[in-house]
Amino acid sequence: MIRGTTMFFCDKCGKIFSDLDIEFMATTLSVPRKCPKCGSFHTMPLGLLSMLKKPLYRKIWENMDKN
Ligand SMILES: [Zn+2]
């Protein structure tokens, strides 16, 4: 489900960009979007709440790297 657009942060290069906020498997997490600068999928929504969820995003990134 698309929740609109949000600001994303790239964990690789630090780029901040706006992209679609898509629900990740019926959770409050968002599907990582491709960084427009370095092409990495190691991205997550910007914000304090998201920062607290970073360990969860790390797991998502690890899974994405495997696929
Ligand atoms: Zn990047």
Side-chain angles (χ1 to χ4, degrees):
M1 189 180 118
I2 297 174
R3 291 181 290 218
T5 57
T6 192
M7 297 306 286
F8 281 84
F9 168 79
C10 177
D11 192 56
K12 279 255 165 88
C13 71
K15 169 88 178 164
I16 291 168
F17 60 100
S18 173
D19 210 329
L20 288 177
D21 183 10
I22 303 169
E23 194 176 83
F24 184 80
M25 293 178 184
T27 66
T28 58
L29 302 177
S30 302
V31 175
R33 304 293 290 167
K34 191 177 183 181
C35 173
K37 189 178 172 192
C38 71
S40 171
F41 276 94
H42 288 213
T43 62
M44 59 185 283
L46 198 61
L48 186 63
L49 206 64
S50 295
M51 280 314 194
L52 296 174
K53 293 174 186 165
K54 197 168 180 181
L56 296 173
Y57 280 103
R58 280 196 192 285
K59 286 212 173 73
I60 295 173
W61 298 337
E62 277 172 23
N63 274 318
M64 289 179 104
D65 286 345
K66 276 178 215 156
N67 297 329

